[in-house]
Amino acid sequence: MITGAGSGIGAATAARLAGDGYTVALCGRRPDRLERTRAGLPGKGHSVHPGDLTDVAQVRRAAAEITERHDGVDVLVHAAGGLVDAEPVVDGDGLGAVAADLSSSFAANVLSTALLTHALGPALRGRRGRVVAVGSIAGQRGGGLGYASAKAALHGWAYDRARALGSRGITVNVVAPGYTSGTEFFGDAMTDARHARLIGETLTKRAGEPGDIAATIAFLASADAGHLTAQVIGVNGGALPG
Ligand SMILES: NC(=O)c1ccc[n+]([C@@H]2O[C@H](COP(=O)([O-])OP(=O)(O)OC[C@H]3O[C@@H](n4cnc5c(N)ncnc54)[C@H](OP(=O)(O)O)[C@@H]3O)[C@@H](O)[C@H]2O)c1
């Protein structure tokens, strides 16, 4: 099960895991983008479950569809999320804007992850189940008040869920990408100068690619990673040593 699968890191993860032989279920808000991802996947039986993962009823429906259609969930990857344009609030002291930023960022990045994990918890396979949340370098070093706060909150969420699910042999980890090009994340906010500056921060002197993140997720999904849990793994070209 892969969220945010209509673009960027989620779509690359779907391609990677389908190539590795998994049957994948794809979730995101735009059905056409999910269908586009599905059309490019090798193998058969992949399914599309459109929905807004910040909404309890839509999460419940997507989880019910997935458990009906598939025989259990081996790997749950939360790539849905990102920067959110909160509704502009003009109130003089800025408090309304801070509240809107924090609320929308937490909904998109934390609530979505926590709700779907809870809904699919019983369907996660014991002994080999894997949960991977896509965090961000921003959660480790700042970068947007609401966004950085929400991505950092995923760390505590993962530690807690790893503790809760560990006795079933299920691992829970966060993969924290640095700058990754080839996604819709930056919208039209990326400039040549910003692109060059972000590459300059890396030790590898290149932008990350969605496939870099997908490869790390594929390792976490593998049998070899069964004793690796409650960790935050940076994939950032050394932009943030750790
Ligand atoms: N690109 C980077 O440089 C970078 C760096 C660090 C971390 N990240 C993180 O990587 C993850 C994947 O982002 P990306 O870079 O691949 O950007 P992206 O192309 O914008 O992908 C994000 C996906 O999440 C889906 N989504 C957003 N809100 C959703 C919701 N409420 N319910 C269901 N689906 C939702 C979007 O599809 P719909 O709009 O159709 O719902 C979209 O396909 C995000 O969590 C992002 O914060 C990205």
Side-chain angles (χ1 to χ4, degrees):
M1 171 68 195
I2 302 163
T3 74
S7 62
I9 291 167
T13 303
R16 171 65 195 244
L17 293 185
D20 287 351
Y22 289 89
T23 303
V24 296
L26 312 174
C27 186
R29 289 168 299 188
R30 291 167 296 174
D32 56 319
R33 304 305 297 269
L34 298 175
E35 289 294 354
R36 190 182 70 171
T37 299
R38 177 165 67 171
L41 297 179
K44 288 188 182 151
H46 311 303
S47 61
V48 158
H49 308 277
D52 183 340
L53 295 168
T54 67
D55 182 273
V56 167
Q58 294 186 49
V59 170
R60 193 176 281 130
R61 191 193 62 218
E65 281 175 17
I66 290 156
T67 47
E68 194 172 307
R69 167 102 185 226
H70 298 277
D71 181 25
V73 176
D74 295 301
V75 185
L76 173 53
V77 180
H78 300 281
L83 296 165
V84 184
D85 284 329
E87 288 292 315
V89 181
V90 182
D91 57 7
D93 62 6
L95 278 181
V98 170
D101 180 25
L102 267 288
S103 299
S104 57
S105 294
F106 269 72
N109 293 285
V110 185
L111 189 62
S112 57
T113 300
L115 287 177
L116 189 63
T117 304
H118 185 88
L120 287 177
L124 283 169
R125 276 194 224 285
R127 290 196 299 283
R128 66 141 293 128
R130 304 280 194 263
V131 181
V132 182
V134 179
S136 172
I137 194 171
Q140 300 170 302
R141 67 174 188 183
L145 173 59
Y147 181 67
S149 304
K151 289 303 196 187
L154 285 176
H155 305 176
W157 169 85
Y159 306 152
D160 184 73
R161 291 300 87 195
R163 192 178 288 276
L165 296 170
S167 62
R168 286 173 56 198
I170 296 167
T171 68
V172 185
N173 291 289
V174 174
V175 172
Y179 173 45
T180 307
S181 61
T183 78
E184 297 180 355
F185 179 82
F186 290 95
D188 53 11
M190 184 50 66
T191 63
D192 289 347
R194 189 178 184 192
H195 176 74
R197 180 177 60 74
L198 290 168
I199 288 175
E201 289 178 354
T202 69
L203 307 181
T204 52
K205 299 306 165 201
R206 70 171 177 86
E209 296 170 4
D212 293 319
I213 315 305
T216 301
I217 292 171
F219 169 68
L220 287 171
S222 72
D224 285 343
H227 201 51
L228 202 173
T229 194
Q231 303 300 314
V232 177
I233 299 167
V235 184
N236 57 42
L240 182 72

